[in-house]
Structures are given as C-alpha cells and as structure tokens.
Amino acid sequence: MLNVGALREGYVLDHIKAGKAMTIYHDLQLDKLDCTVAIIKNARSNKMGKKDILKVECDPATLDLDVLGFIDHNITVNIIKGEKIVEKKVLHLPKEIKNIIRCKNPRCITSIEQELDQIFLLTDEKKEIYRCKYCEEEYKGHKKVR
C-alpha cells in the first residue's frame, strides 16, 4: 500500500487524467519552486478507472490556477491549511490566458515583437475557443504551445 504523508499547507490536485501529472508538473513550473511535490501516477479510481494526483506543499498563493483551468478544468483542487482541506476549488476555463500558447499567425504583432505577451481571450466557452487579443487568430483545445 502506498502511503504519502499529509500536507501542512498547499494543494492536492486530484482527478488528473492518467499519465498527465508530469505535463502539469512542468506547466505549473513546479520544478522552479522550492517545495515538496508528490506525484502519484495511475492511481485506481472508481470514477475514472485510473488517475494521477499531485500533492504540492507550498504557499497557496504560489500556483496559477488559471493555467490549470486552461489545461484541464475537470481537475479537482483541494486547498490544504493546517493539514486539513479548507476549500475545494472548482476550475473553469479562464477568460484570458497569458503566455501559455502562441499565436500561429505569422503576421500577428506577437510574431514580430518578441517581448509582447501572448494574450488569448475566451470567445466561445462551449467550444473552448480562444482568440488572439491582437489579431483574432482562433485557437481551439488545450494543446499547449510554448
């Protein structure tokens, strides 16, 4: 039996699609933080069959949950304080994402001005369509392009 200790303060990211924990680890840039991270891959789940779980012991203000909502808004986020779950956060598609995906339009100002932030706005929540703030180029889905 696998036993991972309780967190004093941080997050438990649950219901991650099996095999996606390392992708999320890198997308949240957890490798750049000085914190404890437990990655559980292919855990049994009645709801999903198999799932991944990330336990992150850090200051709750450290993680960008908007990025997580873009990656997979079905992930469950449990906020831990004093070794207890104090809040369960439901993720939503963010209205705006910054520097997560890049505009594919070669004539977009972001292709020329490298210092300019790549900003996409959610224009169709049902179809999960984002459009570049500058040129209106459409982006659909959750495939990250950095």
Side-chain angles (χ1 to χ4, degrees):
M1 180 72 173
L2 178 67
N3 187 10
V4 179
L7 298 178
R8 279 178 247 126
E9 181 178 61
Y11 293 99
V12 176
L13 307 178
D14 199 357
H15 301 103
I16 301 169
K17 288 179 188 167
K20 297 292 183 186
M22 287 305 295
T23 302
I24 291 173
Y25 176 86
H26 292 294
D27 289 342
L28 292 177
Q29 300 179 355
L30 295 174
D31 55 327
K32 295 179 181 164
L33 297 178
D34 184 24
C35 61
T36 303
V37 178
I39 300 171
I40 303 164
K41 291 182 64 176
N42 298 316
R44 278 175 262 143
S45 168
N46 293 330
K47 183 178 173 183
M48 301 173 71
K50 287 184 177 181
K51 67 180 179 179
D52 289 358
I53 303 167
L54 276 171
K55 287 185 162 191
V56 184
E57 190 164 41
C58 67
D59 177 7
T62 320
L63 294 182
D64 179 5
L65 295 179
D66 285 344
V67 171
L68 198 56
F70 174 72
I71 295 165
D72 184 355
H73 56 278
N74 295 313
I75 294 171
T76 305
V77 179
N78 298 309
I79 300 172
I80 312 295
K81 289 186 181 173
E83 296 186 6
K84 293 188 183 346
I85 297 173
V86 295
E87 183 182 350
K88 285 187 179 248
K89 211 163 191 53
V90 177
L91 298 175
H92 301 283
L93 287 171
K95 301 292 180 199
E96 176 182 292
I97 53 174
K98 187 188 287 187
N99 298 326
I100 298 171
I101 54 176
R102 294 199 178 278
C103 186
K104 294 180 255 177
N105 181 354
R107 288 180 266 166
C108 181
I109 187 79
T110 60
S111 297
I112 300 162
E113 297 290 332
Q114 299 299 318
E115 307 85 38
L116 201 58
D117 285 328
Q118 300 273 333
I119 300 172
F120 282 74
L121 305 173
L122 181 63
T123 57
D124 188 334
E125 195 165 345
K126 287 183 181 179
K127 294 181 183 176
E128 300 180 9
I129 295 175
Y130 285 84
R131 292 192 185 277
C132 176
K133 178 180 176 180
Y134 306 103
C135 73
E136 298 288 312
E137 179 75 19
E138 185 176 291
Y139 178 87
K140 185 175 186 317
H142 297 289
K143 186 179 174 192
K144 181 181 71 74
V145 183
R146 277 196 200 211

